[in-house]
Amino acid sequence: MPSFHTSRPVRHGAAEMFELVADVESYPRFVPLCRALRVRRRNENEGILTLIADMEVGYKAIRETFTSRVTCERSKHKILVEYIDGPFKHLENHWIFHDRDEGKACLVEFRIAYEFRSPALGIIMGGMFETAFRKFAEAFEDRADVVYGKAP
């Protein structure tokens, strides 16, 4: 099963980066391959926010929509995305934000594992997904600079 993992230091605190990633409705503005995102359901219970969201991804004429459960644990600075429905056989990704430099910076960990239901779609989209995953962390860091200002 294809997977990707990266850890990268960023010039913003864990709480700021957590909020940025938890704001899934903003993804179409800056996330590679994300064309649209709609939150179907939102529930907060004991400090844990759970969303059910549809994300449309695409490149040129190819477009696919999938549904995920997004679980945001603010107190632990962790976000888990679990696949529900769409073109994948499996999709799961984790975000973990570790404070550094007294909360002025953090280490962002991003992990994703996925498998397309259709081998043909996997061949067509697989290469694009690999490229996009490599750009995800950079896209979120750039977005943080826009939202929170460039950190020194």
Side-chain angles (χ1 to χ4, degrees):
M1 174 178 327
S3 64
F4 177 77
H5 171 255
T6 186
S7 293
R8 82 187 263 140
V10 298
R11 299 171 309 272
H12 299 280
E16 289 178 328
M17 293 305 294
F18 173 90
E19 293 301 328
L20 194 95
V21 175
D23 181 16
V24 298
E25 287 98 341
S26 294
Y27 285 14
R29 293 184 206 141
F30 70 96
V31 172
L33 302 180
C34 180
R35 301 292 172 238
L37 194 138
R38 179 177 67 94
V39 173
R40 283 198 217 174
R41 189 169 54 220
R42 179 184 308 267
N43 180 42
E44 189 150 2
N45 189 12
E46 297 183 17
I48 298 174
L49 174 65
T50 303
L51 308 169
I52 303 297
D54 296 326
M55 178 187 268
E56 179 185 314
V57 295
Y59 180 74
K60 296 187 180 183
I62 300 170
R63 301 237 189 246
E64 290 289 341
T65 300
F66 64 94
T67 304
S68 297
R69 176 182 303 103
V70 182
T71 305
C72 305
E73 288 188 70
R74 186 171 280 109
S75 66
K76 295 182 179 180
H77 296 138
K78 292 183 180 183
I79 297 174
L80 170 64
V81 180
E82 300 170 286
Y83 177 71
I84 295 175
D85 188 39
F88 295 95
K89 189 176 195 178
H90 174 82
L91 173 71
E92 182 174 288
N93 73 289
H94 301 261
W95 293 88
I96 304 172
F97 309 92
H98 305 278
D99 260 325
R100 295 220 166 141
D101 194 21
E102 299 174 3
K104 296 176 188 167
C106 74
L107 180 71
V108 177
E109 283 189 68
F110 174 75
R111 297 177 188 272
I112 190 162
Y114 66 97
E115 185 176 356
F116 285 97
R117 193 177 310 278
S118 159
L121 186 60
I123 291 168
I124 293 168
M125 294 289 284
M128 287 179 281
F129 266 55
E130 287 294 323
T131 301
F133 296 149
R134 296 187 191 292
K135 293 181 180 182
F136 273 5
E138 185 177 318
F140 280 93
E141 187 173 354
D142 290 346
R143 179 70 176 167
D145 286 346
V146 169
V147 172
Y148 304 120
K150 288 209 182 246

